[in-house]
Amino acid sequence: MNDRCDTRRRRVLQSLMAGSAGCLALGLPRLTQAANAVTLPFENGLRELTTAFPQKGEMLLLRSRPPLLETPFSVFDEGVFTPNDRFFVRWHLASIPTRIDARSFRMKVRGSVSRELDLSLDDLSRKFERVEIAAVNQCAGNSRGFFRPRVAGGEWANGAMGNAVWTGVRLRDILDRAGVKPGAVQVRFNGLDTGVIADTPDFVKTLSVDHARDGEVMVAFAMNGKPLPLLNGYPLRLVVPGWYSTYWMKMLDDIEVIDAPDTNFWMAKAYQIPDTPHADVSPGQTNVKTIPIGAMVPRSFFTNLGDGAVLDLNRTQIVRGIAFGGNAGVREVLFSHDNGTSWTPARLGRDFGKYSFRRWESQFSPRQGGQYVLKVKATNTEGIVQPDTPNWNAGGYMRNVVEQLNVFAA
Ligand SMILES: Nc1nc2c(c(=O)[nH]1)N[C@H]1C(S)=C(S)[C@@H](COP(=O)(O)O)O[C@H]1N2
Ligand SMILES: [Mo]
């Protein structure tokens, strides 16, 4: 390390208390103002911890406007549901209303319907049956920072996901009240946010009529028993259990039934994945057919140990974490303490429904000093298993691999 870097390093360390910040990461200009920071385990992984956002506790700051806030991973060890004030935040467009009047707010249902609706929040809570579902909301780009070779986009670690109990009404019941006309094929969702310049394509997403009417997709007004935080979509958001959260439209105020497939930017250009198993291609591969991203796949994580943890020799070590099945329940979680040579089924925690996080726990006793490679692997009730090697695609979507940790016994 050269002198200049060393001086800079010392100065930043004094103001940051970020013990392991490397020289490379110090080029970021805003760092000297940061009060506190952590380093995620990939290139340019230095992140400020912020408490500056309304209704949010301490979050990892990826970008302020429009906000990208990641959940610090230790939060997932605290319980199976992610507290509202630690739930990740992701917006595409910079003009987001900062105050919404609950009394004058209306959600429209229009397009290929027999009668248009203009629903107040009061209408939604009084005129429709109320339903609840526990479901994981995971960004399509969760874990993008781990992609090798690196890809463009929000460089999330594993915290662009969260699990909540969502309360609201079935989208099917709303659509049935409006009366979807024969010949309608899709339902398009829009929220109150817009771009700053007129050319920015408005963020809209679309589901097939059949999916929209499956009885599970819902318009939610509460999360973990409380109104949605503004940044998570107050007053209404779409919940699409088992699907990536790009479809979970926030500040939802417009539902349009359409009779031709949607060709808008956010469906036809953005959020496209290769039409291959695990959305996996080789870097540089061309002429791959792409499709809009859809259902999630199973994942599992360690939550009580971090990479590099030091364990006591000959003492029973509890290992635990969370798993989810993607678009199905968790059938099995396997734990390995020997780099995948042997696997033991983990004990599964309480089942909150097939779309929820599920806690898992196992244990082992290190009998020899040195390094151990711990692995965890989930299989869902459809028999889909996490792959041993990570998938790759240019969008950095749908990251999935058997997770591993290097720990030391001494
Ligand atoms: N109105 C609106 N809804 C949106 C988005 C957006 O930019 N605007 N982003 C989507 C994407 S890509 C994600 S990952 C989730 C994030 O949900 P959260 O911020 O509540 O965690 O919101 C989805 N819904
Ligand atoms: Mo996302």
Side-chain angles (χ1 to χ4, degrees), residues 92-93 189-191 193-195 200-205 245-250 264 266 271:
H92 290 87
L93 309 178
F189 307 93
N190 197 354
D193 50 330
T194 57
T200 313
D202 195 11
F203 184 72
V204 293
K205 295 296 289 190
S245 50
T246 179
Y247 295 95
W248 298 39
M249 185 62 63
K250 298 191 281 189
N264 95 77
W266 296 102
Y271 288 101

PDB file of all heavy atoms in Angstrom, residues 92-93 189-191 193-195 200-205 245-250 264 266 271:
ATOM      1  N   HIS A  92     -37.597   2.650  -8.610  1.00  0.00           N
ATOM      2  CA  HIS A  92     -36.939   2.902  -9.886  1.00  0.00           C
ATOM      3  C   HIS A  92     -36.935   4.377 -10.254  1.00  0.00           C
ATOM      4  O   HIS A  92     -36.033   4.853 -10.924  1.00  0.00           O
ATOM      5  CB  HIS A  92     -37.678   2.179 -11.021  1.00  0.00           C
ATOM      6  CG  HIS A  92     -37.520   0.702 -10.978  1.00  0.00           C
ATOM      7  ND1 HIS A  92     -38.341  -0.111 -10.245  1.00  0.00           N
ATOM      8  CD2 HIS A  92     -36.623  -0.114 -11.572  1.00  0.00           C
ATOM      9  CE1 HIS A  92     -37.964  -1.360 -10.398  1.00  0.00           C
ATOM     10  NE2 HIS A  92     -36.930  -1.401 -11.198  1.00  0.00           N
ATOM     11  N   LEU A  93     -38.015   5.078  -9.907  1.00  0.00           N
ATOM     12  CA  LEU A  93     -38.216   6.437 -10.398  1.00  0.00           C
ATOM     13  C   LEU A  93     -38.127   7.417  -9.235  1.00  0.00           C
ATOM     14  O   LEU A  93     -38.488   7.094  -8.109  1.00  0.00           O
ATOM     15  CB  LEU A  93     -39.582   6.547 -11.081  1.00  0.00           C
ATOM     16  CG  LEU A  93     -39.875   5.484 -12.154  1.00  0.00           C
ATOM     17  CD1 LEU A  93     -41.279   5.667 -12.717  1.00  0.00           C
ATOM     18  CD2 LEU A  93     -38.849   5.510 -13.265  1.00  0.00           C
ATOM     19  N   PHE A 189     -50.634  -2.922 -13.855  1.00  0.00           N
ATOM     20  CA  PHE A 189     -50.644  -2.220 -12.568  1.00  0.00           C
ATOM     21  C   PHE A 189     -49.731  -1.007 -12.628  1.00  0.00           C
ATOM     22  O   PHE A 189     -48.617  -1.090 -13.137  1.00  0.00           O
ATOM     23  CB  PHE A 189     -50.153  -3.175 -11.470  1.00  0.00           C
ATOM     24  CG  PHE A 189     -50.923  -4.463 -11.454  1.00  0.00           C
ATOM     25  CD1 PHE A 189     -50.464  -5.568 -12.161  1.00  0.00           C
ATOM     26  CD2 PHE A 189     -52.134  -4.553 -10.778  1.00  0.00           C
ATOM     27  CE1 PHE A 189     -51.185  -6.751 -12.181  1.00  0.00           C
ATOM     28  CE2 PHE A 189     -52.866  -5.737 -10.794  1.00  0.00           C
ATOM     29  CZ  PHE A 189     -52.388  -6.836 -11.494  1.00  0.00           C
ATOM     30  N   ASN A 190     -50.212   0.094 -12.066  1.00  0.00           N
ATOM     31  CA  ASN A 190     -49.414   1.315 -12.032  1.00  0.00           C
ATOM     32  C   ASN A 190     -49.521   1.926 -10.638  1.00  0.00           C
ATOM     33  O   ASN A 190     -50.529   1.756  -9.951  1.00  0.00           O
ATOM     34  CB  ASN A 190     -49.933   2.284 -13.110  1.00  0.00           C
ATOM     35  CG  ASN A 190     -48.937   3.388 -13.439  1.00  0.00           C
ATOM     36  OD1 ASN A 190     -47.892   3.515 -12.794  1.00  0.00           O
ATOM     37  ND2 ASN A 190     -49.270   4.184 -14.442  1.00  0.00           N
ATOM     38  N   GLY A 191     -48.454   2.619 -10.230  1.00  0.00           N
ATOM     39  CA  GLY A 191     -48.424   3.270  -8.925  1.00  0.00           C
ATOM     40  C   GLY A 191     -48.257   4.770  -9.084  1.00  0.00           C
ATOM     41  O   GLY A 191     -48.146   5.285 -10.199  1.00  0.00           O
ATOM     42  N   ASP A 193     -45.779   6.751  -8.356  1.00  0.00           N
ATOM     43  CA  ASP A 193     -44.456   7.310  -8.647  1.00  0.00           C
ATOM     44  C   ASP A 193     -44.290   7.550 -10.142  1.00  0.00           C
ATOM     45  O   ASP A 193     -44.838   6.829 -10.960  1.00  0.00           O
ATOM     46  CB  ASP A 193     -43.346   6.383  -8.123  1.00  0.00           C
ATOM     47  CG  ASP A 193     -43.529   4.923  -8.545  1.00  0.00           C
ATOM     48  OD1 ASP A 193     -44.685   4.483  -8.729  1.00  0.00           O
ATOM     49  OD2 ASP A 193     -42.517   4.224  -8.717  1.00  0.00           O
ATOM     50  N   THR A 194     -43.489   8.566 -10.474  1.00  0.00           N
ATOM     51  CA  THR A 194     -43.205   8.873 -11.873  1.00  0.00           C
ATOM     52  C   THR A 194     -41.733   9.278 -12.003  1.00  0.00           C
ATOM     53  O   THR A 194     -41.063   9.533 -11.002  1.00  0.00           O
ATOM     54  CB  THR A 194     -44.051  10.065 -12.388  1.00  0.00           C
ATOM     55  OG1 THR A 194     -43.776  11.170 -11.538  1.00  0.00           O
ATOM     56  CG2 THR A 194     -45.526   9.744 -12.413  1.00  0.00           C
ATOM     57  N   GLY A 195     -41.292   9.354 -13.261  1.00  0.00           N
ATOM     58  CA  GLY A 195     -39.932   9.818 -13.504  1.00  0.00           C
ATOM     59  C   GLY A 195     -39.860  11.325 -13.365  1.00  0.00           C
ATOM     60  O   GLY A 195     -40.883  12.011 -13.319  1.00  0.00           O
ATOM     61  N   THR A 200     -38.955   9.338 -19.265  1.00  0.00           N
ATOM     62  CA  THR A 200     -38.760   8.116 -18.493  1.00  0.00           C
ATOM     63  C   THR A 200     -40.018   7.264 -18.572  1.00  0.00           C
ATOM     64  O   THR A 200     -41.103   7.742 -18.247  1.00  0.00           O
ATOM     65  CB  THR A 200     -38.483   8.460 -17.007  1.00  0.00           C
ATOM     66  OG1 THR A 200     -37.514   9.483 -16.972  1.00  0.00           O
ATOM     67  CG2 THR A 200     -38.000   7.252 -16.239  1.00  0.00           C
ATOM     68  N   PRO A 201     -39.900   6.005 -19.016  1.00  0.00           N
ATOM     69  CA  PRO A 201     -41.107   5.177 -19.057  1.00  0.00           C
ATOM     70  C   PRO A 201     -41.657   4.985 -17.641  1.00  0.00           C
ATOM     71  O   PRO A 201     -40.913   4.635 -16.739  1.00  0.00           O
ATOM     72  CB  PRO A 201     -40.616   3.843 -19.632  1.00  0.00           C
ATOM     73  CG  PRO A 201     -39.199   4.034 -20.054  1.00  0.00           C
ATOM     74  CD  PRO A 201     -38.688   5.285 -19.415  1.00  0.00           C
ATOM     75  N   ASP A 202     -42.947   5.259 -17.465  1.00  0.00           N
ATOM     76  CA  ASP A 202     -43.589   5.079 -16.168  1.00  0.00           C
ATOM     77  C   ASP A 202     -43.434   3.615 -15.760  1.00  0.00           C
ATOM     78  O   ASP A 202     -43.478   2.725 -16.595  1.00  0.00           O
ATOM     79  CB  ASP A 202     -45.077   5.449 -16.306  1.00  0.00           C
ATOM     80  CG  ASP A 202     -45.739   5.651 -14.953  1.00  0.00           C
ATOM     81  OD1 ASP A 202     -45.020   5.709 -13.942  1.00  0.00           O
ATOM     82  OD2 ASP A 202     -46.976   5.738 -14.928  1.00  0.00           O
ATOM     83  N   PHE A 203     -43.237   3.370 -14.454  1.00  0.00           N
ATOM     84  CA  PHE A 203     -43.065   1.991 -13.996  1.00  0.00           C
ATOM     85  C   PHE A 203     -44.431   1.305 -13.915  1.00  0.00           C
ATOM     86  O   PHE A 203     -45.255   1.651 -13.062  1.00  0.00           O
ATOM     87  CB  PHE A 203     -42.354   1.960 -12.639  1.00  0.00           C
ATOM     88  CG  PHE A 203     -42.057   0.563 -12.160  1.00  0.00           C
ATOM     89  CD1 PHE A 203     -41.061  -0.196 -12.765  1.00  0.00           C
ATOM     90  CD2 PHE A 203     -42.789   0.000 -11.127  1.00  0.00           C
ATOM     91  CE1 PHE A 203     -40.796  -1.501 -12.343  1.00  0.00           C
ATOM     92  CE2 PHE A 203     -42.531  -1.299 -10.691  1.00  0.00           C
ATOM     93  CZ  PHE A 203     -41.531  -2.036 -11.300  1.00  0.00           C
ATOM     94  N   VAL A 204     -44.679   0.372 -14.821  1.00  0.00           N
ATOM     95  CA  VAL A 204     -45.923  -0.417 -14.814  1.00  0.00           C
ATOM     96  C   VAL A 204     -45.552  -1.875 -14.994  1.00  0.00           C
ATOM     97  O   VAL A 204     -44.547  -2.191 -15.619  1.00  0.00           O
ATOM     98  CB  VAL A 204     -46.902   0.015 -15.940  1.00  0.00           C
ATOM     99  CG1 VAL A 204     -47.430   1.418 -15.701  1.00  0.00           C
ATOM    100  CG2 VAL A 204     -46.263  -0.085 -17.308  1.00  0.00           C
ATOM    101  N   LYS A 205     -46.334  -2.765 -14.416  1.00  0.00           N
ATOM    102  CA  LYS A 205     -46.080  -4.204 -14.558  1.00  0.00           C
ATOM    103  C   LYS A 205     -47.405  -4.910 -14.839  1.00  0.00           C
ATOM    104  O   LYS A 205     -48.472  -4.408 -14.494  1.00  0.00           O
ATOM    105  CB  LYS A 205     -45.457  -4.778 -13.286  1.00  0.00           C
ATOM    106  CG  LYS A 205     -44.087  -4.250 -12.940  1.00  0.00           C
ATOM    107  CD  LYS A 205     -42.998  -4.571 -13.948  1.00  0.00           C
ATOM    108  CE  LYS A 205     -42.611  -6.030 -13.961  1.00  0.00           C
ATOM    109  NZ  LYS A 205     -41.381  -6.254 -14.796  1.00  0.00           N
ATOM    110  N   SER A 245     -40.405  -9.494  -6.642  1.00  0.00           N
ATOM    111  CA  SER A 245     -41.142  -8.315  -6.203  1.00  0.00           C
ATOM    112  C   SER A 245     -41.253  -7.214  -7.248  1.00  0.00           C
ATOM    113  O   SER A 245     -41.948  -6.231  -7.015  1.00  0.00           O
ATOM    114  CB  SER A 245     -40.573  -7.760  -4.910  1.00  0.00           C
ATOM    115  OG  SER A 245     -39.199  -7.603  -4.985  1.00  0.00           O
ATOM    116  N   THR A 246     -40.609  -7.364  -8.388  1.00  0.00           N
ATOM    117  CA  THR A 246     -40.820  -6.375  -9.435  1.00  0.00           C
ATOM    118  C   THR A 246     -42.305  -6.240  -9.784  1.00  0.00           C
ATOM    119  O   THR A 246     -42.770  -5.185 -10.190  1.00  0.00           O
ATOM    120  CB  THR A 246     -39.960  -6.702 -10.692  1.00  0.00           C
ATOM    121  OG1 THR A 246     -40.221  -5.738 -11.689  1.00  0.00           O
ATOM    122  CG2 THR A 246     -40.239  -8.080 -11.237  1.00  0.00           C
ATOM    123  N   TYR A 247     -43.076  -7.319  -9.565  1.00  0.00           N
ATOM    124  CA  TYR A 247     -44.522  -7.277  -9.834  1.00  0.00           C
ATOM    125  C   TYR A 247     -45.325  -6.691  -8.671  1.00  0.00           C
ATOM    126  O   TYR A 247     -46.512  -6.439  -8.812  1.00  0.00           O
ATOM    127  CB  TYR A 247     -45.043  -8.685 -10.142  1.00  0.00           C
ATOM    128  CG  TYR A 247     -44.455  -9.233 -11.423  1.00  0.00           C
ATOM    129  CD1 TYR A 247     -43.330 -10.045 -11.403  1.00  0.00           C
ATOM    130  CD2 TYR A 247     -45.006  -8.892 -12.661  1.00  0.00           C
ATOM    131  CE1 TYR A 247     -42.759 -10.520 -12.580  1.00  0.00           C
ATOM    132  CE2 TYR A 247     -44.443  -9.364 -13.841  1.00  0.00           C
ATOM    133  CZ  TYR A 247     -43.329 -10.168 -13.796  1.00  0.00           C
ATOM    134  OH  TYR A 247     -42.769 -10.621 -14.962  1.00  0.00           O
ATOM    135  N   TRP A 248     -44.696  -6.533  -7.523  1.00  0.00           N
ATOM    136  CA  TRP A 248     -45.433  -6.118  -6.326  1.00  0.00           C
ATOM    137  C   TRP A 248     -45.584  -4.593  -6.317  1.00  0.00           C
ATOM    138  O   TRP A 248     -44.984  -3.902  -5.488  1.00  0.00           O
ATOM    139  CB  TRP A 248     -44.713  -6.584  -5.068  1.00  0.00           C
ATOM    140  CG  TRP A 248     -44.547  -8.066  -4.883  1.00  0.00           C
ATOM    141  CD1 TRP A 248     -44.252  -9.021  -5.818  1.00  0.00           C
ATOM    142  CD2 TRP A 248     -44.630  -8.770  -3.632  1.00  0.00           C
ATOM    143  NE1 TRP A 248     -44.145 -10.253  -5.239  1.00  0.00           N
ATOM    144  CE2 TRP A 248     -44.379 -10.134  -3.893  1.00  0.00           C
ATOM    145  CE3 TRP A 248     -44.890  -8.373  -2.301  1.00  0.00           C
ATOM    146  CZ2 TRP A 248     -44.386 -11.108  -2.887  1.00  0.00           C
ATOM    147  CZ3 TRP A 248     -44.890  -9.333  -1.310  1.00  0.00           C
ATOM    148  CH2 TRP A 248     -44.653 -10.684  -1.610  1.00  0.00           C
ATOM    149  N   MET A 249     -46.403  -4.092  -7.231  1.00  0.00           N
ATOM    150  CA  MET A 249     -46.538  -2.643  -7.448  1.00  0.00           C
ATOM    151  C   MET A 249     -46.885  -1.907  -6.147  1.00  0.00           C
ATOM    152  O   MET A 249     -47.848  -2.251  -5.464  1.00  0.00           O
ATOM    153  CB  MET A 249     -47.616  -2.388  -8.500  1.00  0.00           C
ATOM    154  CG  MET A 249     -47.773  -0.932  -8.896  1.00  0.00           C
ATOM    155  SD  MET A 249     -46.281  -0.220  -9.648  1.00  0.00           S
ATOM    156  CE  MET A 249     -46.110  -1.221 -11.120  1.00  0.00           C
ATOM    157  N   LYS A 250     -46.088  -0.870  -5.858  1.00  0.00           N
ATOM    158  CA  LYS A 250     -46.317  -0.067  -4.643  1.00  0.00           C
ATOM    159  C   LYS A 250     -47.137   1.167  -4.973  1.00  0.00           C
ATOM    160  O   LYS A 250     -47.192   1.611  -6.122  1.00  0.00           O
ATOM    161  CB  LYS A 250     -44.962   0.357  -4.055  1.00  0.00           C
ATOM    162  CG  LYS A 250     -44.110  -0.827  -3.633  1.00  0.00           C
ATOM    163  CD  LYS A 250     -42.897  -0.418  -2.826  1.00  0.00           C
ATOM    164  CE  LYS A 250     -41.770   0.112  -3.676  1.00  0.00           C
ATOM    165  NZ  LYS A 250     -40.524   0.303  -2.882  1.00  0.00           N
ATOM    166  N   ASN A 264     -44.969  -2.661 -22.974  1.00  0.00           N
ATOM    167  CA  ASN A 264     -44.262  -1.531 -22.368  1.00  0.00           C
ATOM    168  C   ASN A 264     -42.843  -1.929 -21.941  1.00  0.00           C
ATOM    169  O   ASN A 264     -42.532  -3.101 -21.726  1.00  0.00           O
ATOM    170  CB  ASN A 264     -45.072  -0.963 -21.198  1.00  0.00           C
ATOM    171  CG  ASN A 264     -44.620  -1.545 -19.874  1.00  0.00           C
ATOM    172  OD1 ASN A 264     -43.598  -1.176 -19.298  1.00  0.00           O
ATOM    173  ND2 ASN A 264     -45.379  -2.525 -19.406  1.00  0.00           N
ATOM    174  N   TRP A 266     -41.089  -1.911 -19.223  1.00  0.00           N
ATOM    175  CA  TRP A 266     -40.785  -2.676 -18.011  1.00  0.00           C
ATOM    176  C   TRP A 266     -41.160  -4.152 -18.124  1.00  0.00           C
ATOM    177  O   TRP A 266     -40.729  -4.969 -17.321  1.00  0.00           O
ATOM    178  CB  TRP A 266     -41.461  -2.037 -16.796  1.00  0.00           C
ATOM    179  CG  TRP A 266     -40.913  -0.666 -16.526  1.00  0.00           C
ATOM    180  CD1 TRP A 266     -41.504   0.525 -16.841  1.00  0.00           C
ATOM    181  CD2 TRP A 266     -39.653  -0.344 -15.942  1.00  0.00           C
ATOM    182  NE1 TRP A 266     -40.691   1.567 -16.472  1.00  0.00           N
ATOM    183  CE2 TRP A 266     -39.554   1.070 -15.918  1.00  0.00           C
ATOM    184  CE3 TRP A 266     -38.598  -1.106 -15.424  1.00  0.00           C
ATOM    185  CZ2 TRP A 266     -38.442   1.728 -15.397  1.00  0.00           C
ATOM    186  CZ3 TRP A 266     -37.489  -0.445 -14.906  1.00  0.00           C
ATOM    187  CH2 TRP A 266     -37.424   0.958 -14.896  1.00  0.00           C
ATOM    188  N   TYR A 271     -36.164  -6.461 -16.856  1.00  0.00           N
ATOM    189  CA  TYR A 271     -36.555  -7.675 -16.124  1.00  0.00           C
ATOM    190  C   TYR A 271     -36.769  -8.882 -17.028  1.00  0.00           C
ATOM    191  O   TYR A 271     -37.672  -9.689 -16.809  1.00  0.00           O
ATOM    192  CB  TYR A 271     -37.787  -7.415 -15.246  1.00  0.00           C
ATOM    193  CG  TYR A 271     -37.448  -6.550 -14.063  1.00  0.00           C
ATOM    194  CD1 TYR A 271     -37.750  -5.196 -14.057  1.00  0.00           C
ATOM    195  CD2 TYR A 271     -36.783  -7.074 -12.966  1.00  0.00           C
ATOM    196  CE1 TYR A 271     -37.395  -4.382 -12.992  1.00  0.00           C
ATOM    197  CE2 TYR A 271     -36.437  -6.275 -11.893  1.00  0.00           C
ATOM    198  CZ  TYR A 271     -36.743  -4.936 -11.913  1.00  0.00           C
ATOM    199  OH  TYR A 271     -36.395  -4.142 -10.860  1.00  0.00           O
TER     200      TYR A 271
END
